[in-house]
């Protein structure tokens, strides 16, 4: 059933084109702009490549990747309901909890392919204009962990909330607004440990969104993330078991 869920997402051409453009096309556009500026004025603009270029691409991947992962997760969560096939799926005798359970790994697998392509692009950029393979090799495992954690949690949250509300569009917009506007304001004002701040603990300094005012241990960070995920999935499970077929 997970394979079938992956196929359902992949066959949505609009979704896949949109997610690919947002997650990878945006990176290529920025890289092209930077390369053009350097070609026009080499002294006033840094060249593409090296460790600095690699880090910049990874940071942009975190930004644009969170948008694309929200699109994929929300589509996985609300797709059956918006397409009007949820009743047919229930009628086959498959449990509702199983229908919910396969949505998460299906969305995560599709997003993981795009994330892997984005990280490969970042590594390739890092080799331009003077290879920095040593430093990049040491940073890559931690950067993959940070990116996977941020984008993976975004997928799960989007999928769970879309299941809860049977909606896709405003879930995507709401998550983007919360992650990049509301949450930073709350964290800077109260220093409360929200999910973005917890994920931030696993990134190196160049990729962290918050300063020294928000620093705590990885154990507390993992607990915070686990609580957010458990609440979101729990609400989705409660809703799907009570939804009229």
């Amino acid at each position: 059933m997970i394979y079938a869920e992956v196929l359902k997402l992949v066959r949505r051409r609009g979704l896949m084109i949109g997610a690919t453009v947002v997650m990878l096309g945006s990176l290529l556009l920025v890289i092209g702009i930077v390369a053009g500026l350097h070609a026009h004025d080499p002294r006033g603009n840094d060249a593409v490549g090296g460790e600095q270029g690699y880090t910049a691409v990874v940071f942009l991947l975190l930004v644009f990747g969170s948008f694309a992962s929200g699109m994929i997760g929300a589509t996985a969560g609300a797709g059956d309901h918006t397409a009007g096939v949820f009743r047919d799926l229930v009628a086959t005798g498959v449990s509702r909890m199983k229908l919910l359970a396969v949505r998460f790994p299906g969305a995560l697998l599709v997003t993981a392919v795009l994330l892997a392509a984005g990280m490969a692009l970042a590594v390739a950029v890092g080799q331009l204009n003077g290879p920095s393979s040593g430093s990049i090799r040491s940073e890559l495992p931690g950067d993959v962990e940070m990116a996977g954690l941020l984008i993976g949690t975004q997928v799960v949250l989007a999928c769970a909330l879309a299941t809860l509300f049977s909606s896709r569009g405003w879930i995507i917009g709401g998550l983007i607004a919360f992650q990049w506007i509301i949450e930073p304001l709350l964290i800077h004002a109260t220093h409360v440990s929200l999910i973005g701040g917890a994920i931030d603990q696993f990134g190196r300094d160049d990729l962290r969104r918050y300063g020294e005012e928000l620093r705590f241990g990885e154990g507390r960070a993992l607990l915070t993330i686990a609580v957010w995920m458990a609440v979101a999935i729990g609400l989705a499970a409660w809703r799907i078991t009570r939804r009229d077929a």
Side-chain angles (χ1 to χ4, degrees):
M1 289 189 68
I2 295 176
Y3 178 69
E5 188 67 30
V6 171
L7 284 180
K8 283 194 296 184
L9 293 171
V10 171
R11 287 173 178 169
R12 289 177 173 262
R13 292 184 179 180
L15 169 68
M16 296 312 302
I17 292 173
T20 302
V21 169
V22 170
M23 196 165 184
L24 302 180
S26 300
L27 301 182
L28 293 172
L29 177 61
V30 173
I31 292 169
I33 292 173
V34 173
L37 291 174
H38 176 71
H40 177 71
D41 182 9
R43 294 184 177 181
N45 298 282
D46 293 333
V48 175
E51 183 179 358
Q52 181 179 356
Y54 161 78
T55 299
V57 174
V58 172
F59 180 80
L60 291 174
L61 180 62
L62 296 178
V63 176
F64 294 119
S66 64
F67 299 166
S69 59
M71 294 166 58
I72 295 172
T75 301
D80 293 340
H81 307 289
T82 56
V85 300
F86 182 68
R87 177 178 298 184
D88 297 331
L89 292 172
V90 172
T92 63
V94 180
S95 71
R96 295 175 180 230
M97 289 301 295
K98 190 171 184 179
L99 291 175
L100 172 64
V102 298
R103 295 176 181 181
F104 297 105
L108 286 168
L109 285 172
V110 172
T111 310
V113 174
L114 295 177
L115 175 58
M119 291 302 303
L121 177 61
V123 173
V125 168
Q127 306 307 309
L128 300 175
N129 298 314
S132 303
S133 57
S135 58
I136 292 175
R137 190 181 300 115
S138 65
E139 293 168 350
L140 185 59
D143 293 346
V144 170
E145 177 187 17
M146 169 71 167
L149 195 57
L150 174 63
I151 293 175
T153 53
Q154 188 81 347
V155 170
V156 173
L157 283 175
C159 186
L161 292 176
T163 300
L164 177 63
F165 295 105
S166 300
S167 177
R168 185 171 72 99
W170 76 267
I171 292 295
I172 299 172
L175 282 175
I176 292 174
F178 178 79
Q179 183 177 16
W180 296 98
I181 300 176
I182 299 173
E183 185 182 52
L185 291 175
L186 289 174
I187 288 178
H188 286 303
T190 65
H191 297 176
V192 173
S193 173
L194 300 176
I195 187 169
I199 295 172
D200 206 49
Q201 307 309 308
F202 296 91
R204 55 190 172 94
D205 290 341
D206 290 340
L207 298 178
R208 285 175 171 170
R209 296 165 57 200
Y210 305 105
E212 293 296 329
E213 75 275 7
L214 192 70
R215 289 288 180 268
F216 49 87
E218 292 186 358
R220 177 182 166 188
L222 287 173
L223 178 61
T224 301
I225 295 169
V227 169
W228 276 79
M229 294 297 99
V231 171
I233 294 173
L235 289 172
W238 169 82
R239 184 69 179 97
I240 201 170
T241 56
R242 286 160 176 78
R243 186 187 306 277
D244 292 335

